[in-house]
């Protein structure tokens, strides 16, 4: 995949209409590409924080 296409794909995948937080940039062939911005919607932060904050056993019981 060409570098320009990579940047476009990352930006299309991690761009949200509402409020979001910037998590960093994409990595292409071991190079950090600042133009490939990786964002996460603030609406998703609570959900992902819950899952990553639980011990493995609680995840299996709750989400299986």
């Amino acid at each position: 995949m060409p570098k320009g296409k990579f940047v476009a794909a990352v930006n299309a995948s991690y761009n949200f209409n509402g409020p979001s937080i910037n998590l960093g940039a994409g990595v292409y062939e071991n190079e950090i590409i600042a133009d490939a911005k990786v964002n996460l919607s603030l609406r998703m932060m609570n959900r992902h924080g819950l899952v990553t904050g639980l011990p493995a056993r609680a995840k299996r019981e709750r989400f299986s």
Side-chain angles (χ1 to χ4, degrees):
M1 167 184 306
K3 186 175 178 179
K5 192 172 182 179
F6 169 79
V7 171
V10 169
N11 288 335
S13 298
Y14 294 100
N15 188 15
F16 300 96
N17 292 332
S20 63
I21 186 168
N22 183 278
L23 297 177
V27 177
Y28 179 79
E29 295 183 357
N30 294 323
E31 178 187 354
I32 297 171
I33 308 298
D35 292 337
K37 294 176 176 39
V38 178
N39 298 307
L40 183 62
S41 170
L42 291 180
R43 290 182 60 196
M44 299 295 281
M45 292 292 287
N46 189 25
R47 186 174 320 158
H48 289 280
L50 171 70
V51 173
T52 60
L54 289 174
R57 181 177 176 195
K59 288 180 206 172
R60 282 192 304 273
E61 292 171 359
R62 184 174 290 202
F63 298 107
S64 294

